[in-house]
């Protein structure tokens, strides 16, 4: 989510990644996006450990694939979550 996207929420969880999709994408932005994701997860989800975040550009689809490999602290399980973000 972006900052103020959920105006009545008591928690302002935001990565502000969508704004980056409308700029000129470059491979150097991968680290910036990864850092935003890592910061949001570590600030708002203390129950998990993030092992890796990967960004794959999909220029023909005007978007990026974000893949997060994480573990749940209480169960020591490893999970993978992928999300495709695109310009609408």
């Amino acid at each position: 989510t972006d900052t103020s996207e959920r105006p009545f929420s008591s928690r302002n969880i935001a990565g502000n990644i969508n704004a980056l999709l409308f700029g000129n994408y470059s491979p150097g932005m991968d680290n910036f996006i990864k850092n935003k994701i890592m910061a949001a997860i570590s600030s708002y989800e203390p129950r998990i450990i993030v092992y890796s975040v990967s960004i794959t550009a999909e220029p023909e689809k005007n978007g990026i694939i974000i893949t997060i490999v994480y573990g749940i602290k209480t169960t020591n399980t490893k999970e993978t979550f992928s999300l495709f973000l695109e310009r609408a």
Side-chain angles (χ1 to χ4, degrees), residues 21-38:
L21 294 176
F22 293 99
N24 291 326
Y25 185 82
S26 66
M29 290 176 61
D30 290 357
N31 283 333
F32 184 74
I33 293 170
K34 287 178 193 179
N35 289 337
K36 294 285 254 179
I37 292 169
M38 298 283 287

Side-chain angles (χ1 to χ4, degrees):
T1 60
D2 287 332
T3 303
S4 74
E5 187 172 334
R6 296 179 183 184
F8 299 107
S9 175
S10 62
R11 295 174 60 180
N12 193 13
I13 301 172
N16 294 324
I17 294 171
N18 287 332
L20 298 173
L21 294 176
F22 293 99
N24 291 326
Y25 185 82
S26 66
M29 290 176 61
D30 290 357
N31 283 333
F32 184 74
I33 293 170
K34 287 178 193 179
N35 289 337
K36 294 285 254 179
I37 292 169
M38 298 283 287
I41 292 172
S42 65
S43 294
Y44 298 106
E45 190 47 80
R47 298 171 290 182
I48 69 169
I49 300 168
V50 178
Y51 295 112
S52 67
V53 176
S54 64
I55 309 295
T56 305
E58 293 283 337
E60 65 281 349
K61 295 180 182 177
N62 291 323
I64 58 174
I65 298 171
I66 300 170
T67 303
I68 303 169
V69 179
Y70 65 95
I72 300 169
K73 289 180 180 179
T74 58
T75 63
N76 293 324
T77 59
K78 195 179 256 190
E79 303 287 337
T80 301
F81 173 77
S82 291
L83 173 70
F84 179 71
L85 293 179
E86 66 181 320
R87 292 188 241 192

